[in-house]
Amino acid sequence: MITSEIDSISEAEWEGLAAEAGRSVDEIRAALASVDESSEVSAVPLELLKKDYEFPLIPGVLSFKVSAEFTGGDNWKADVTFKILLFGEQVYSQKFIDFSKEKKVVHIKPGTALFHADVEFGFYGEHYCFGAKGHVKVVGFGKKEFDFEDVFCLS
């Protein structure tokens, strides 16, 4: 990245970038400063990419939360933590550390006495976009289908 471009980034923008990437401002600055000036911006290492999303299924009752961290380039890999929140409290959590070009999708069926879910999530399409689909049954609320597509993409 050209030094003048780095110098033009405001402190608030640095802090926002650091929060989104899950890294410190100093780490982000160092990574950007290390990119050769003739390189494209896409040459920033993917290990800086970290995403957190919450998917409300039944507002105030049930939501999924996903945290994903990516490393690599052509041989990328992703660690994804999938959580289920019931009335704002975490009732299920599982970490998956083996997402890659070879294994892009996971199918799980978590449940408790209050809910049962059938969820497929992973990276789809040529741009490796993250998505989740399936259904969940919650006592007193019935069955809820969901399909979240293209939440974020790796390329």
Side-chain angles (χ1 to χ4, degrees):
M1 181 174 256
I2 299 172
T3 305
S4 63
E5 290 178 33
I6 292 175
D7 293 340
S8 69
I9 298 173
S10 73
E11 200 58 38
E13 289 171 319
W14 281 116
E15 290 172 11
L17 183 58
E20 184 174 335
R23 302 286 195 242
S24 73
V25 170
D26 290 339
E27 286 177 287
I28 301 295
R29 281 185 173 138
L32 290 174
S34 71
V35 175
D36 185 290
E37 289 189 12
S38 65
S39 299
E40 296 293 322
V41 173
S42 62
V44 174
L46 282 179
E47 65 267 6
L48 296 177
L49 185 57
K50 183 175 181 179
K51 298 285 186 180
D52 294 304
Y53 289 92
E54 189 165 340
F55 308 95
L57 298 173
I58 304 172
V61 177
L62 180 75
S63 62
F64 292 160
K65 195 170 195 175
V66 174
S67 298
E69 189 166 337
F70 309 97
T71 57
D74 288 337
N75 296 317
W76 65 270
K77 73 173 200 154
D79 296 343
V80 176
T81 301
F82 182 85
K83 298 175 182 178
I84 297 177
L85 306 175
L86 193 58
F87 302 108
E89 297 296 320
Q90 180 180 307
V91 294
Y92 175 86
S93 178
Q94 187 169 355
K95 186 169 186 172
F96 301 90
I97 58 172
D98 54 356
F99 283 102
S100 66
K101 280 186 175 180
E102 290 76 35
K103 184 177 181 191
K104 295 180 264 193
V105 178
V106 169
H107 185 218
I108 60 174
K109 295 183 177 186
T112 69
L114 293 175
F115 80 93
H116 179 269
D118 188 337
V119 182
E120 179 181 287
F121 64 95
F123 300 89
Y124 303 90
E126 67 182 67
H127 297 289
Y128 305 111
C129 296
F130 185 85
K133 60 185 174 183
H135 69 266
V136 63
K137 293 178 187 175
V138 179
V139 173
F141 290 91
K143 184 176 178 181
K144 169 102 172 148
E145 300 282 337
F146 60 90
D147 190 354
F148 298 104
E149 295 180 357
D150 301 341
V151 176
F152 57 85
C153 300
L154 296 181
S155 65

